């Protein structure tokens, strides 16, 4: 997949995330998948999306900890 195609897909995912916060887990997984594709191809990663991925992952991990205890 071309770099420009990946960038366009990521932009679409971000837009969906902003418009449909109830699906944040699914969108997080899609963002993560696209970033992993970019990593696999050795493409540069947009810092803001990497930061978003990390923040969402931390948020979901905190959610899980709250449910456990």
């Amino acid at each position: 997949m071309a770099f420009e195609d990946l960038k366009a897909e990521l932009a679409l995912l971000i837009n969906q995330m902003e418009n449909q916060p109830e699906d944040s887990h699914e969108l997080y997984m899609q963002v993560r998948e696209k970033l992993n594709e970019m990593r696999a191809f050795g493409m540069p990663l947009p810092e803001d999306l990497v930061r978003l991925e990390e923040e969402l992952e931390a948020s979901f991990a905190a959610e899980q900890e709250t449910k456990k205890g």
Side-chain angles (χ1 to χ4, degrees), residues 24-68:
S24 61
H25 283 89
E26 179 64 29
L27 290 170
Y28 161 72
M29 294 303 294
Q30 291 177 9
V31 168
R32 186 173 182 181
E33 181 180 323
K34 294 302 173 191
L35 287 174
N36 284 339
E37 285 179 30
M38 293 175 79
R39 288 179 182 109
F41 288 111
M43 297 176 175
L45 301 176
E47 290 181 34
D48 55 344
L49 293 178
V50 172
R51 201 168 33 250
L52 174 64
E53 177 191 33
E54 292 169 352
E55 289 172 7
L56 286 171
E57 188 172 338
S59 173
F60 299 145
E63 237 178 67
Q64 290 299 318
E65 287 299 315
T66 301
K67 288 179 183 178
K68 286 182 183 178

Side-chain angles (χ1 to χ4, degrees), residues 6-19 27 30:
L6 285 171
K7 283 176 45 179
E9 284 188 42
L10 287 170
L12 178 62
L13 290 172
I14 296 289
N15 187 37
Q16 288 176 346
M17 186 177 291
E18 290 172 351
N19 294 328
L27 290 170
Q30 291 177 9

